[in-house]
Amino acid sequence: MAYFKEIVTKAVIGKGKKTTTQKYVIKPEETPNTVLGCWIINHRFNGAMSHGDIFVNGNYDVNVWYSYDGDTRTGVASGNFSYSDKMNVPINSSSKLTNDSEVIVSSLSDPNVVEVSVVNGEIHFSVRKELGIEVVGDTKIRVNVEDNFDDYTVIEDDEVAPEVLDEIDNEIKEDYLEVTDDSSEIA
C-alpha cells in the first residue's frame, strides 16, 4: 500500500520575464546637430522585495556621441540613469512570498538604445531591456512512499569453519610464555 508524505524544501516558486522601454534625456554642453552613436555600459541590477512586491533596481551609464557646430566637430555626452521596475511574478499556488524568499535577476537582453533624436538642443532616447526573475522560497512537495519497500540486505555474522579453528590450535606453542628463573641472563 502506498501513501504520500509532504516535504518542505527550497525551490523556485515563481518565474517570469519582463521587457521594458524607458525614455531619457541628455543635455550636452554644445547644441547637437546629429547623433552619431549611442551605447550603454556598466549595467548593474539586483532584485528586492518590499511589502510583498518584487522590484528590480538598477542603473547603467549611457554615452551619446554627437556632432555639433554645423557637423564639423564631435562630442560625447554621458549620464548615469537609474530604474526601479515592479515585477508581477506569478507565484505557485502552494507557495507564499516571505521575508526569507530570495529574488534572482538575470539580464536576458542587455539594455540598448532603440530610438534617439535631437529635440531643441537635447538628446532624447529610449532604452529597452529584458530581465528574467526567479523567486526562490519554501514550498511543499508530495512524495509517494511505499510501506512494503525494503531496500536493506540481511548481513549474516561471519562464522569461522571448525577446521580452521583446529589448525590455529595446532600452531599455538604452549611454552611460549614460560618465565625462566635464570637471573644470570638479566644483566
Side-chain angles (χ1 to χ4, degrees):
M1 177 176 176
Y3 62 97
F4 293 93
K5 286 191 175 184
E6 288 184 336
I7 298 173
V8 177
T9 186
K10 292 248 185 233
V12 174
I13 60 174
K15 188 174 186 176
K17 65 181 179 179
K18 184 176 183 180
T19 302
T20 58
T21 303
Q22 294 168 307
K23 296 182 178 190
Y24 300 103
V25 175
I26 286 182
K27 173 99 172 110
E29 293 179 18
E30 301 85 6
T31 303
N33 297 109
T34 309
V35 174
L36 304 172
C38 192
W39 60 96
I40 298 173
I41 58 174
N42 300 326
H43 184 208
R44 294 172 295 277
F45 52 87
N46 67 332
M49 285 188 10
S50 177
H51 306 293
D53 292 325
I54 299 168
F55 292 90
V56 175
N57 303 310
N59 61 53
Y60 40 75
D61 296 327
V62 178
N63 296 300
V64 181
W65 181 34
Y66 61 92
S67 67
Y68 64 96
D69 199 16
D71 288 335
T72 60
R73 303 186 74 165
T74 63
V76 175
S78 299
N80 182 278
F81 297 92
S82 299
Y83 62 88
S84 181
D85 295 336
K86 182 177 178 184
M87 309 301 250
N88 295 319
V89 179
I91 303 298
N92 296 345
S93 61
S94 64
S95 306
K96 293 181 183 177
L97 280 178
T98 65
N99 290 337
D100 294 331
S101 298
E102 179 184 1
V103 179
I104 301 170
V105 183
S106 58
S107 178
L108 301 178
S109 174
D110 289 333
N112 59 53
V113 176
V114 293
E115 182 182 349
V116 64
S117 60
V118 177
V119 179
N120 297 327
E122 298 176 330
I123 299 173
H124 294 243
F125 59 96
S126 298
V127 175
R128 180 174 293 148
K129 66 185 176 311
E130 184 176 38
L131 300 173
I133 311 296
E134 289 183 339
V135 179
V136 177
D138 290 334
T139 189
K140 290 181 185 177
I141 59 173
R142 188 173 277 202
V143 179
N144 182 8
V145 179
E146 295 183 24
D147 60 352
N148 62 354
F149 184 72
D150 186 10
D151 62 349
Y152 291 100
T153 302
V154 176
I155 300 172
E156 301 287 337
D157 284 339
D158 293 336
E159 291 187 21
V160 179
E163 57 272 3
V164 173
L165 290 176
D166 289 341
E167 187 178 319
I168 293 173
D169 283 342
N170 292 337
E171 291 179 7
I172 295 177
K173 297 180 182 177
E174 294 182 10
D175 61 344
Y176 182 75
L177 294 177
E178 282 186 16
V179 178
T180 61
D181 196 19
D182 188 10
S183 59
S184 63
E185 294 181 18
I186 301 175

